[in-house]
Amino acid sequence: QVQLVESGGGLVQAGGSLRLSCAASIRSFSSAVMGWFRQAPGKEREFVAAINWIGSSTSAADSVKGRFTVSRDNAKNTVYLQMNSLKPEDTAVYYCAAKFGSLTPSGYNYWGQGTQVTVSS
């Protein structure tokens, strides 16, 4: 059974930082592509960032490049999203997701329950 559990969300002022974590119970975690998505109220879910199985390659949405960094620790079955210089428009529920394949934003099979990030102005 696959389980992805996000943590680290909360309320932060604009310009601040948060670090999200996603603990994964998934067979062959070290082979999985791990991604982060977000969904703001009234908007569709959007891709944020992803990292390949070994951590040697990442991708990120233009809106977060230079501010957000995705990383992983395969020994701990955990993926992280370091978010710096947060803006009010980053406010959303952030989801962790997993798949076996490429770094493209589509095709994710497994999803966490989400963690709320709220950035105040």
Side-chain angles (χ1 to χ4, degrees), residues 28-48:
S28 300
F29 171 83
S30 59
S31 300
V33 171
M34 300 299 298
W36 288 97
F37 292 76
R38 67 186 182 186
Q39 186 167 21
K43 295 186 177 181
E44 294 188 352
R45 186 171 59 195
E46 64 175 357
F47 170 76
V48 175

Side-chain angles (χ1 to χ4, degrees), residues 52-65:
N52 72 341
W53 66 279
I54 200 173
S56 61
S57 182
T58 62
S59 65
D62 288 343
S63 59
V64 306
K65 281 181 180 177

Side-chain angles (χ1 to χ4, degrees), residues 90-112:
D90 294 318
T91 295
V93 176
Y94 283 71
Y95 297 91
C96 172
K99 66 172 179 176
F100 296 94
S102 68
L103 278 175
T104 58
S106 61
Y108 283 83
N109 308 103
Y110 308 104
W111 295 85

